[in-house]
């Protein structure tokens, strides 16, 4: 039986107080307002896009009995105006936009803001401003920040519960809503959030409907400081796919009634969240908040200086056991992603084969003699329908087995075949995958899955052929150390990629260094290990098979001890970090 932890929590050691349910939260805020002893007090509830404002209107604000209520969203431009303003960011594409650099206040007409501020200046008593942009309207005396996990936003998009900010596009294609969030709304909201992090008086968790939880800003910031000082896990989430899979259901104790789980995100801090345990109350916050607040401690100064407040490494699972192939795809070059989409770096990646069956395969690189013209002509013919792309005529298919490591630098055509469990280790670019062929499938939403042949054409590296792939991308293992019961191998990634991966086999324990970078690791063999401090700076941290965990750069050195049920069982962890180029 797997001990994979589906809801890992971080126990916060020191905090002053935590409040749950709207009445308790309102009573706390009322007390704070009274302590202000001012004739006019402005309480702002700044909301991440996607937060349920109607809950505040119904359950919180009436309890506060304010003299004046202002909904910030009413002061902002309407959705049509915003769409026109950001149309170059959104583009006409269903999936891809251009990374925006807008500030939130750009969407609030100055004359409307000024008029509201004049009203505020003539009002005595408590004034409550709530919604996205509440802090644009006025500088608050008390700031409550209502935060929301990225995955929860996506679920609300899919269900049709919400549209995008200032839009009534509830029934619009979820991919288009996600695109608007990813390229525009979340960038703008994160930029604004970072400005106010140190001014937050209370952090409000709004992830579960009508079950709010609140903690003081001081305790929230202290909690993030604690997270950035020791090993931790983010909260994984699992999603169905058109290609599979059944393996994770059994191994990770997922819902056996679900049709499949093709995806698992267990190491994507921009997408995942954290469970922070304050006594009896669990607070959920986006894990990217730790990166925003403590980039030097978490990422390391060198990685921070290179990537800013982005977490550059991503671990996720692709499960095709009992399913089909992934889409045939390619990732953009750095130059292309910078020019077309405004990103700093590209989605270089690799497939670590966590489990495999006799027929497990990967598609990787083009066959000798293939030309881009004939390959693209066949892909374009297939995209028009009524024709099956002749995949094995053009693309290499290699058998794979458990613990193989397949390197996939940008520009290499690739995909996983059926009956394979892939631990995907890649740079964190999230959605920059150009699908070229998808085996005539439609998505789970019933719509044809989008392909991007023109983007693909510009990025396919035709020199990644059979010979080159065999010599450069398949199991490029180099033994770095094999002594005292520890075998350490460099397994990748390719020299064109900025991530290095090392695999450590051991029976008792291994001591690792962070290499001036945040570390992301996964227990790929064995049932259980414990991560221990070499200087008692953090408590022992338990990890189970298949769990991804993060070690902040500030830890510098740490030990992993084998605590598997069979003490003679050799275990293995794979460690990823940013190369110090």
């Amino acid at each position: 039986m797997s001990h994979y932890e589906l809801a890992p929590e971080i126990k916060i050691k020191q905090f002053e107080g935590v409040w749950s349910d709207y009445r308790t939260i309102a009573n706390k805020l009322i007390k704070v307002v009274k302590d202000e002893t001012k004739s006019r007090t402005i309480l702002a509830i700044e909301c991440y896009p996607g937060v349920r404002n109607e809950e505040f209107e119904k359950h919180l604000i009436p309890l506060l009995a304010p003299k004046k209520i202002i909904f910030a969203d009413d002061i902002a431009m309407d959705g049509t105006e915003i769409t026109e303003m950001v149309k170059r960011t959104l583009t006409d594409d269903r999936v891809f936009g251009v990374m925006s650099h807008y500030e939130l206040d750009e969407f609030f007409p100055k004359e409307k803001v000024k008029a509201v501020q004049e009203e505020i200046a003539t009002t005595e008593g408590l004034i409550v401003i709530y919604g996205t942009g509440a802090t644009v309207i006025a500088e608050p005396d008390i700031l409550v920040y209502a935060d929301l996990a990225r995955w929860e936003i996506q679920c609300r998009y899919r269900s049709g519960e919400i549209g995008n900010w200032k839009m009534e596009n509830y029934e619009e294609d979820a991919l288009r809503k996600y695109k608007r969030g990813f390229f525009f709304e979340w960038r703008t909201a994160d930029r604004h959030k970072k400005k106010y992090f140190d001014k937050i008086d209370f952090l409000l968790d709004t992830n579960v409907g009508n079950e709010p939880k609140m903690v003081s800003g001081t305790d929230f910031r202290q909690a993030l400081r604690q997270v950035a000082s020791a090993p931790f896990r983010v909260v994984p989430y699992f999603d169905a796919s058109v290609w599979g899979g059944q393996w994770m259901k059994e191994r990770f104790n997922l819902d056996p009634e679900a049709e499949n789980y093709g995806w698992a995100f267990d190491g994507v801090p921009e997408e995942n969240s954290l469970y922070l345990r304050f006594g009896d109350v669990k607070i959920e916050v986006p894990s990217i908040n730790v990166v925003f607040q403590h980039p030097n401690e978490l990422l390391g100064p060198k990685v921070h200086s290179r990537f800013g407040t982005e977490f550059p490494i991503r671990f996720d699972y692709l499960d095709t056991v009992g399913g089909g192939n992934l889409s045939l795809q390619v990732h953009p070059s750095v130059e292309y992603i910078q020019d077309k989409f405004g990103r700093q770096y590209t989605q270089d990646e690799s497939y670590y084969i966590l489990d495999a069956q006799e027929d497990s395969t990967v598609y990787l690189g083009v066959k000798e003699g293939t030309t881009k013209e004939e390959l693209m002509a066949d892909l374009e013919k297939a995209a028009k329908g009524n024709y099956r792309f002749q995949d094995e005529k053009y693309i290499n298919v290699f058998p794979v087995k458990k613990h193989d490591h397949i390197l996939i630098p940008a520009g290499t055509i690739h995909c996983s075949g059926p009956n394979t469990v892939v631990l995907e280790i890649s740079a964190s670019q999230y959605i920059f995958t150009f699908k070229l062929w998808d085996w005539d499938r439609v998505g789970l939403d019933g719509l044809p899955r989008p392909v991007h042949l023109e983007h693909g054409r510009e990025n396919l590296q035709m020199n990644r052929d059979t010979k080159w792939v065999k010599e450069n991308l398949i199991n490029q293992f180099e033994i770095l150390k094999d002594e005292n019961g520890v075998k350490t191998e460099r397994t990748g990634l390719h020299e064109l990629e900025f991530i290095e991966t090392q695999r450590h086999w051991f029976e008792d324990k291994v001591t690792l260094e962070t290499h001036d970078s945040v570390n992301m690791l996964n227990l790929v063999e064995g049932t259980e290990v414990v991560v221990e401090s070499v200087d008692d700076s953090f408590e022992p941290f338990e990890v189970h098979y298949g769990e991804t965990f993060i070690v902040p750069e500030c830890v510098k050195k740490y030990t992993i001890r084998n605590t598997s049920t069979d003490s003679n069982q050799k275990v293995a962890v794979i460690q990823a970090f940013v190369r110090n180029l």
Side-chain angles (χ1 to χ4, degrees):
M1 176 64 70
S2 170
H3 295 288
Y4 183 95
E5 178 57 64
L6 294 169
E9 297 181 355
I10 301 167
K11 184 178 180 180
I12 304 308
K13 298 174 183 176
Q14 296 179 331
F15 62 97
E16 295 298 321
V18 63
W19 304 269
S20 56
D21 79 65
Y22 278 118
R23 183 164 294 279
T24 303
I25 289 169
N27 289 339
K28 175 61 180 177
L29 294 177
I30 289 168
K31 184 179 185 303
V32 174
V33 170
K34 288 181 179 178
D35 290 343
E36 285 288 310
T37 65
K38 294 181 178 179
S39 61
R40 178 190 309 112
T41 300
I42 300 173
L43 188 155
I45 307 174
E46 179 67 61
C47 298
Y48 205 85
V51 166
R52 297 182 177 103
N53 292 298
E54 61 275 13
E55 281 193 25
F56 304 146
E57 296 163 0
K58 184 176 180 180
H59 300 297
L60 177 60
I61 295 174
L63 296 174
L64 301 176
K67 294 295 183 181
K68 189 173 189 61
I69 302 171
I70 299 167
F71 184 33
D73 295 53
D74 286 344
I75 316 303
M77 296 175 177
D78 65 32
T80 302
E81 292 176 295
I82 293 173
T83 299
E84 179 64 23
M85 186 170 171
V86 302
K87 63 182 180 181
R88 287 194 64 192
T89 283
L90 297 179
T91 74
D92 293 326
D93 192 276
R94 185 181 172 200
V95 176
F96 299 116
V98 179
M99 302 302 290
S100 80
H101 291 86
Y102 292 102
E103 298 286 348
L104 189 57
D105 61 6
E106 294 181 68
F107 302 96
F108 288 79
K110 288 183 172 56
E111 64 278 6
K112 292 180 71 174
V113 172
K114 183 180 179 182
V116 174
Q117 290 174 341
E118 289 173 352
E119 290 181 28
I120 291 172
T122 60
T123 303
E124 299 292 312
L126 175 62
I127 300 167
V128 173
I129 311 172
Y130 72 104
T132 301
T135 48
V136 172
I137 306 304
E139 196 70 25
D141 299 298
I142 304 165
L143 173 57
V144 178
Y145 194 95
D147 217 345
L148 191 60
R150 194 65 50 83
W151 174 235
E152 175 61 22
I153 298 172
Q154 293 178 58
C155 290
R156 294 181 188 184
Y157 284 160
R158 289 185 190 179
S159 69
E161 177 191 343
I162 65 170
N164 291 101
W165 181 53
K166 295 290 292 183
M167 301 290 289
E168 295 185 358
N169 59 337
Y170 305 103
E171 303 304 321
E172 187 177 24
D173 173 14
L175 281 179
R176 291 188 179 275
K177 288 197 281 188
Y178 177 70
K179 178 188 73 169
R180 190 177 180 115
F182 182 90
F183 287 95
F184 163 50
E185 293 173 1
W186 303 341
R187 306 305 136 195
T188 305
D190 284 346
R191 200 168 288 118
H192 193 71
K193 181 197 290 188
K194 285 192 281 186
K195 289 181 181 179
Y196 282 88
F197 243 119
D198 293 334
K199 299 179 181 179
I200 293 173
D201 295 299
F202 296 96
L203 187 285
L204 187 59
D205 170 7
T206 65
N207 286 280
V208 180
N210 295 311
E211 295 184 18
K213 280 96 67 175
M214 189 174 78
V215 67
S216 76
T218 300
D219 287 342
F220 168 57
R221 287 183 287 271
Q222 176 57 38
L224 297 185
R225 190 174 298 111
Q226 178 185 321
V227 173
S229 67
F232 66 95
R233 288 189 63 215
V234 296
V235 180
Y237 67 85
F238 302 84
D239 202 10
S241 69
V242 298
W243 59 73
Q246 304 300 317
W247 185 90
M248 289 189 294
K249 278 191 197 179
E250 178 181 351
R251 287 302 188 102
F252 297 162
N253 300 322
L254 304 178
D255 180 3
E257 301 302 316
E259 183 175 348
N260 74 68
Y261 289 99
W263 289 100
F265 292 82
D266 188 10
V268 190
E270 179 166 328
E271 300 279 346
N272 291 116
S273 57
L274 297 170
Y275 284 156
L276 306 177
R277 172 62 65 178
F278 294 87
D280 295 333
V281 178
K282 179 178 70 177
I283 300 279
E284 182 175 9
V285 299
S287 53
I288 195 67
N289 287 347
V290 185
V291 186
F292 292 161
Q293 274 291 87
H294 299 287
N296 281 331
E297 294 86 347
L298 177 61
L299 304 178
K302 292 181 179 179
V303 176
H304 179 206
S305 68
R306 188 171 170 188
F307 294 97
T309 53
E310 291 195 7
F311 195 98
I313 305 172
R314 158 181 164 160
F315 277 26
D316 61 83
Y317 284 112
L318 305 169
D319 178 358
T320 65
V321 173
N325 299 335
L326 301 181
S327 60
L328 193 64
Q329 58 193 241
V330 68
H331 299 298
S333 68
V334 172
E335 181 179 7
Y336 195 86
I337 204 171
Q338 288 176 346
D339 288 348
K340 298 293 185 182
F341 306 111
R343 294 296 278 177
Q344 300 166 267
Y345 55 96
T346 191
Q347 191 166 317
D348 289 312
E349 66 182 26
S350 69
Y351 287 171
Y352 188 89
I353 309 302
L354 194 69
D355 210 345
Q357 298 182 8
E358 288 186 5
D359 59 346
S360 296
T361 57
V362 295
Y363 290 68
L364 190 68
V366 297
K367 289 189 173 179
E368 306 283 352
T370 300
T371 67
K372 183 179 290 189
E373 290 71 23
E374 62 179 344
L375 173 61
M376 291 306 304
D378 225 26
L379 286 168
E380 288 165 1
K381 186 177 178 181
K384 293 175 182 176
N386 300 317
Y387 174 73
R388 188 189 186 285
F389 175 64
Q390 303 300 299
D391 50 283
E392 295 193 19
K393 175 181 176 182
Y394 302 105
I395 314 301
N396 301 304
V397 183
F398 298 103
V400 290
K401 63 184 184 302
K402 187 174 183 177
H403 294 308
D404 284 349
H405 200 174
I406 309 302
L407 315 181
I408 312 172
T412 308
I413 195 168
H414 67 280
C415 75
S416 171
N419 293 324
T420 308
V421 182
V422 169
L423 174 63
E424 188 174 49
I425 302 173
S426 68
S428 295
Q429 287 302 346
Y430 314 107
I431 66 173
F432 290 95
T433 296
F434 302 142
K435 295 184 182 70
L436 304 174
W437 166 244
D438 205 26
W439 321 97
D440 288 328
R441 297 181 296 213
V442 297
L444 296 179
D445 55 8
L447 300 175
R449 299 189 82 207
V451 295
H452 290 87
L453 297 185
E454 287 310 308
H455 288 313
R457 180 192 299 274
E458 295 298 316
N459 287 280
L460 279 171
Q461 298 292 312
M462 301 304 294
N463 62 339
R464 310 276 169 84
D465 58 17
T466 310
K467 182 174 184 294
W468 192 90
V469 164
K470 287 180 178 179
E471 292 177 351
N472 290 275
L473 303 184
I474 299 175
N475 292 338
Q476 300 298 300
F477 299 157
E478 175 189 355
I479 296 176
L480 302 178
K481 180 177 70 173
D482 191 356
E483 59 188 22
N484 300 323
V486 175
K487 180 180 180 181
T488 295
E489 308 157 284
R490 181 182 289 117
T491 71
L493 276 52
H494 188 264
E495 63 180 10
L496 298 179
E497 305 177 77
F498 65 77
I499 296 171
E500 177 161 323
T501 54
Q502 294 183 6
R503 182 172 59 197
H504 309 277
W505 293 91
F506 55 98
E507 292 181 4
D508 180 21
K509 65 179 181 179
V510 63
T511 298
L512 305 180
E513 296 184 2
T514 58
H515 301 282
D516 295 325
S517 167
V518 64
N519 286 192
M520 186 169 273
L521 305 97
N522 188 286
L523 179 60
V524 296
E525 187 69 40
T527 57
E528 182 183 287
V529 296
V530 170
V531 186
E532 298 174 329
S533 172
V534 297
D535 58 4
D536 295 323
S537 60
F538 61 82
E539 296 176 357
F541 181 76
E542 191 174 280
V543 177
H544 306 102
Y545 174 71
E547 292 179 349
T548 294
F549 61 103
I550 294 169
V551 177
E553 189 276 340
C554 66
V555 169
K556 302 299 184 184
K557 183 180 289 189
Y558 54 100
T559 294
I560 304 178
R561 184 182 302 277
N562 180 9
T563 53
S564 296
T565 51
D566 180 357
S567 60
N568 294 319
Q569 178 187 24
K570 185 172 287 190
V571 301
V573 293
I574 191 157
Q575 173 194 28
F577 52 90
V578 176
R579 288 194 182 111
N580 188 12
L581 299 179

